[in-house]
Amino acid sequence: MWKDYWFAGATRSYWVLSTTLMLAYVLAMLLDVHLDSGASTLFRVLAALLPAVLIIGFVLLEFRRVRNTDELRQRMELEAGMLTLAVAVPVLTALGLLDDAGLLEVPLLISVPVLMGIYLTAQAWAHRRYGCTT
């Protein structure tokens, strides 16, 4: 099953928590984007920081999932994470510098989808490298 292949160590509670966190993240982003400037400063700060707190929760959930796997899967996840870091930092830095130079307008919110795309590609590479079929 694809869930066992890509999400080894995922339990039912993992799926419930990850779904809840992702829905809360989408709602928090919608709140942040559509919040008018008439709201209090404290409320705007809390609304702006809420998505970051939810991302931290998702990262901690992923750490727990990876810890519940065998050593090979942990190594694959580590290599995928390191490859993501090695590719994403220069790519996001280049995009930021192009934006700073006025050559390309890049919103900061694009960094999360870029990171996720690179991470999924790195995971596919790690699966292929170690010949995992399950």
Side-chain angles (χ1 to χ4, degrees):
M1 179 174 254
W2 69 271
K3 288 191 291 188
D4 297 329
Y5 181 75
W6 286 100
F7 298 99
T11 60
R12 181 179 173 92
S13 67
Y14 168 85
W15 290 110
V16 169
L17 284 171
S18 65
T19 302
T20 304
L21 283 169
M22 284 297 116
L23 288 174
Y25 175 79
V26 168
L27 292 174
M29 289 300 294
L30 289 172
L31 172 70
D32 189 35
V33 169
H34 295 297
L35 191 64
D36 64 2
S37 59
S40 72
T41 304
L42 178 62
F43 186 70
R44 288 193 342 243
V45 167
L46 292 175
L49 295 178
L50 182 58
V53 172
L54 295 169
I55 289 172
I56 290 169
F58 191 74
V59 168
L60 293 174
L61 182 63
E62 282 297 301
F63 278 141
R64 190 174 82 183
R65 179 189 64 82
V66 171
R67 263 194 219 149
N68 291 334
T69 62
D70 61 10
E71 291 176 4
L72 176 61
R73 184 63 66 153
Q74 289 177 8
R75 182 178 179 144
M76 290 168 48
E77 293 282 349
L78 176 65
E79 287 188 15
M82 293 305 295
L83 182 59
T84 301
L85 182 65
V87 172
V89 168
V91 167
L92 293 173
T93 300
L95 289 173
L97 292 171
L98 288 170
D99 186 29
D100 192 42
L103 300 171
L104 181 66
E105 189 174 323
V106 182
L108 182 60
L109 291 177
I110 198 162
S111 60
V112 172
V114 168
L115 278 171
M116 291 298 103
I118 294 171
Y119 182 63
L120 288 174
T121 304
Q123 273 197 334
W125 171 81
H127 278 81
R128 183 177 170 94
R129 179 170 186 241
Y130 286 101
C132 292
T133 58
T134 61

